[in-house]
Amino acid sequence: MPDIALYQPDIPQNTGTILRLAACMGVTVHLIEPAGFPISDSALKRAGMDYLERAAMVRHISFAAFDDWRRSNKRRLILLTTKSEVPYADFAFQPDDILMMGRESSGVPEDVHTLADARLTIPMADGMRSLNVAVSTGMVLGEALRQSGTFPKSPGYTQR
């Protein structure tokens, strides 16, 4: 199942929303520090609501620590960025991909950009710059789960 990585997030409400999404989809969130806010239940609770206790979150003290972990587990790093021309829906996701979202204020630095195994974008209407990071995460995670057949199975679910 794909994981989500948040590179030094700035906005606790977005992080809480992504943690809620992760809890509902059964995926892990890797939070790469430092964050732009204190990582505490109270900072995340408003958006994450009562889903936070069900969210799987792994904290990494730095990008280097995260990248060491990722490489030792042989996981692909898929960066979502406005600096790509490859639409996410045209990409072939694998079940163990890590979908990385950059800081809301500045994305990721060039060295992180360079280390990514793939860089994808969400096509938008002319003149539009970017979507909210939580919305982007939901869109791309949904496609990755669909392609890899790893959506969680609800009770009574029948595949069509």
Side-chain angles (χ1 to χ4, degrees):
M1 180 164 285
D3 284 357
I4 297 166
L6 302 179
Y7 181 87
Q8 301 178 355
D10 292 323
I11 302 172
Q13 294 86 349
N14 287 336
T15 302
T17 299
I18 292 168
L19 285 167
R20 181 178 179 171
L21 169 70
C24 290
M25 296 294 109
V27 302
T28 299
V29 173
H30 297 268
L31 196 143
I32 300 163
E33 299 189 48
F37 55 89
I39 304 300
S40 65
D41 285 348
S42 61
L44 301 172
K45 200 160 188 122
R46 173 174 273 172
M49 297 173 34
D50 56 342
Y51 293 83
L52 288 183
E53 60 196 35
R54 306 250 338 247
M57 182 175 74
V58 177
R59 291 171 67 175
H60 300 271
I61 192 126
S62 66
F63 178 77
F66 164 79
D67 201 46
D68 287 346
W69 171 86
R70 174 187 77 86
R71 289 174 186 274
S72 71
N73 286 280
K74 298 178 176 33
R75 307 278 302 267
R76 285 196 316 178
L77 181 61
I78 312 303
L79 177 64
L80 273 291
T81 176
T82 58
K83 298 174 183 169
S84 174
E85 294 185 13
V86 179
Y88 78 99
D90 292 348
F91 184 74
F93 291 97
Q94 296 175 4
D96 61 349
D97 285 341
I98 300 173
L99 311 176
M100 176 175 273
M101 310 298 155
R103 289 187 84 126
E104 293 91 340
S105 62
S106 59
V108 300
E110 192 58 38
D111 61 324
V112 173
H113 218 277
T114 302
L115 288 173
D117 297 297
R119 287 159 293 285
L120 309 177
T121 194
I122 298 172
M124 289 179 276
D126 284 343
M128 297 292 102
R129 220 179 29 185
S130 65
L131 290 165
N132 172 280
V133 70
V135 172
S136 299
T137 302
M139 289 175 67
V140 178
L141 177 64
E143 179 65 11
L145 292 171
R146 184 192 70 78
Q147 284 188 24
S148 62
T150 55
F151 266 107
K153 305 291 187 260
S154 299
Y157 171 83
T158 55
Q159 192 164 1
R160 298 180 186 164

